[in-house]
Amino acid sequence: MAFAMFWEILWALILGFALSGVVQAVVSKAEMSRLLPDDSPRTLAIACGLGAASSSCSYAAVALARSIFRKGASFTAAIVFELASTNLVLELGIIMIVLLGWQFALAEFIGAPIMVVILVWLFGRFLSERMVETARQQAEKGLAGSMEGHAEMDMSVTGGSLWSRVTSAKGFTAISHYFLMDWAAVWRDVAGGLLIAGALAAWVPKAFWRSFFFTGHPTFALVWGPLVGPLVAVISFVCSVGNVPLAAVLWNSGISFGGVIAFIFADLIVIPIIDIYRRYYTAPIAWFLTWTMFVAMSVAGLAVEMLFKTVGWVPIERAATITEAHVEWNYTTVLNVVFLALAAILVWRAATTGGFGMLRMMNMSPQTQGGRHHNRPRHIH
């Protein structure tokens, strides 16, 4: 079942990461800190846009948020950027359409800004200047988390029109490197999500899930789903796009529509990432981020379900794509063949331009990379 689900989404993963590579190749990380100096509505909108233009890897998003915070960005804007990086990216929407349906993808992209607004409001009420200073002092220590090397790499192409940058030889190289790096960053989460989804679908009786999600009590389930969805995510240890297959299993098993959305939102409060928050910003700030994100994710999930119920967009059928283990000649196979060819071209380009050497730097801290400064990727003029 895990392989069949992987085969179902393979073309979408390749397309999503290729598009992500194109966007990252023309958006310079060096500009991010300068563009996020405060928590004004304009700055936060820019943070969402920059997040949508970055890698979908949750660990890379967390590392990059700390990086731009250390370089002078507002703490609130850095966290908003982090949320957008994992919830407003193209590849996530494509995978959700394939496995869950367009309604879920649309709910994700409508719900994410709602979540941001709620989180910013909570920060405004409960985040003090003293807490921000504590977080900054801890961040300046540069303690290792995960994917710091990924966060520091800037291979964007600057100068010239957008089209000329994308189609240039340097642009092609940058796209191929980002494509390779994103795959290397998330493959564990994708594999883990598929394996766990397959195991849950095969081994956990649907009667258990129906009872757990209170499917016989629709009114209570409406509220319960967005509350329990993030909690399931916390203990699943799966993040990035890897939690979408799990979301498909949960939807078929009876969780509410808003519960699915809240579950997908919650990849930034899985246990390993909470521990990284502790190292990056201190334990009290990690707890603050966890509970404020949980509240924002749950309320946004509930809000988007109520909105979609009002307009009649909540699917009636629970028919997320969870296929049995077989591959046949159909449109999915054709798309996979086409996009595997594209992936082969991008991997070949990366392999012939130092891309695999770059991968060894992805988990290095900036301090370690400093010792190899001459090999460190910079944005390309």
Side-chain angles (χ1 to χ4, degrees):
M1 182 176 291
F3 175 77
M5 291 182 72
F6 174 70
W7 186 252
E8 193 73 22
I9 65 174
L10 177 57
W11 69 269
L13 284 170
I14 295 171
L15 173 60
F17 288 132
L19 291 174
S20 175
V22 171
V23 174
Q24 291 180 79
V26 296
V27 177
S28 172
K29 292 179 181 177
E31 295 295 310
M32 290 183 179
S33 300
R34 183 182 65 81
L35 293 172
L36 305 177
D38 52 42
D39 57 0
S40 67
R42 179 179 181 276
T43 296
L44 297 178
I46 292 173
C48 287
L50 291 173
S54 67
S55 168
S56 64
C57 173
S58 303
Y59 294 98
V62 172
L64 184 51
R66 181 183 68 164
S67 176
I68 61 178
F69 175 53
R70 292 178 68 186
K71 293 174 182 176
S74 156
F75 184 72
T76 300
I79 299 302
V80 168
F81 164 86
E82 180 184 308
L83 286 171
S85 294
T86 60
N87 291 292
L88 289 174
V89 288
L90 288 171
E91 54 266 40
L92 176 64
I94 294 170
I95 299 301
M96 291 182 72
I97 290 171
V98 172
L99 287 185
L100 289 162
W102 65 267
Q103 298 96 329
F104 290 89
L106 182 60
E108 175 77 13
F109 287 107
I110 292 175
I114 295 174
M115 173 175 59
V116 166
V117 169
I118 296 168
L119 187 74
V120 170
W121 182 83
L122 290 171
F123 275 27
R125 290 293 302 271
F126 300 106
L127 180 65
S128 66
E129 288 295 330
R130 181 179 178 182
M131 293 169 68
V132 172
E133 185 57 31
T134 297
R136 191 176 299 280
Q137 290 175 2
Q138 181 71 10
E140 289 296 339
K141 295 179 182 179
L143 298 182
S146 181
M147 293 291 168
E148 280 86 3
H150 190 328
E152 291 295 319
M153 291 179 188
D154 190 353
M155 297 169 285
S156 57
V157 181
T158 59
S161 67
L162 183 64
W163 178 252
S164 67
R165 282 182 278 165
V166 170
T167 57
S168 67
K170 292 178 179 178
F172 184 26
T173 297
I175 292 167
S176 70
H177 283 207
Y178 278 120
F179 178 81
L180 184 64
M181 188 163 61
D182 283 351
W183 268 104
V186 305
W187 76 266
R188 292 180 183 85
D189 287 300
V190 172
L194 290 168
L195 290 171
I196 295 172
L200 291 179
W203 298 338
V204 180
K206 284 193 175 182
F208 167 80
W209 289 121
R210 292 193 186 100
S211 174
F212 183 69
F213 294 133
F214 292 93
T215 56
H217 305 276
T219 302
F220 183 74
L222 178 71
V223 178
W224 176 249
L227 289 174
V228 77
L231 297 179
V232 174
V234 167
I235 62 175
S236 73
F237 285 72
V238 177
C239 48
S240 305
V241 295
N243 61 6
V244 180
L246 275 173
V249 171
L250 295 178
W251 171 246
N252 283 358
S253 300
I255 195 172
S256 67
F257 183 81
V260 171
I261 301 304
F263 170 83
I264 294 173
F265 284 158
D267 62 338
L268 288 173
I269 54 173
V270 297
I271 290 174
I273 286 182
I274 293 173
D275 185 56
I276 291 174
Y277 291 148
R278 177 188 62 81
R279 281 177 272 168
Y280 280 3
Y281 306 121
T282 73
I285 302 301
W287 163 242
F288 175 80
L289 288 173
T290 301
W291 79 257
T292 52
M293 285 187 184
F294 174 82
V295 171
M297 292 162 180
S298 296
V299 175
L302 177 61
V304 80
E305 174 160 7
M306 294 176 69
L307 173 63
F308 273 48
K309 277 184 176 293
T310 301
V311 296
W313 286 350
V314 174
I316 298 175
E317 298 292 329
R318 293 183 177 270
T321 301
I322 305 176
T323 55
E324 297 300 326
H326 68 277
V327 175
E328 57 186 12
W329 186 256
N330 54 20
Y331 81 94
T332 298
T333 299
V334 172
L335 288 171
N336 282 342
V337 170
V338 171
F339 282 99
L340 280 170
L342 172 62
I345 293 170
L346 290 171
V347 171
W348 170 81
R349 179 69 174 189
T352 56
T353 54
F356 284 93
M358 172 203 66
L359 292 182
R360 291 192 289 270
M361 300 173 66
M362 283 179 55
N363 274 306
M364 291 182 181
S365 67
Q367 292 88 340
T368 304
Q369 285 191 20
R372 305 185 181 188
H373 189 75
H374 59 286
N375 289 326
R376 187 171 172 179
R378 297 287 184 181
H379 61 267
I380 305 169
H381 296 275

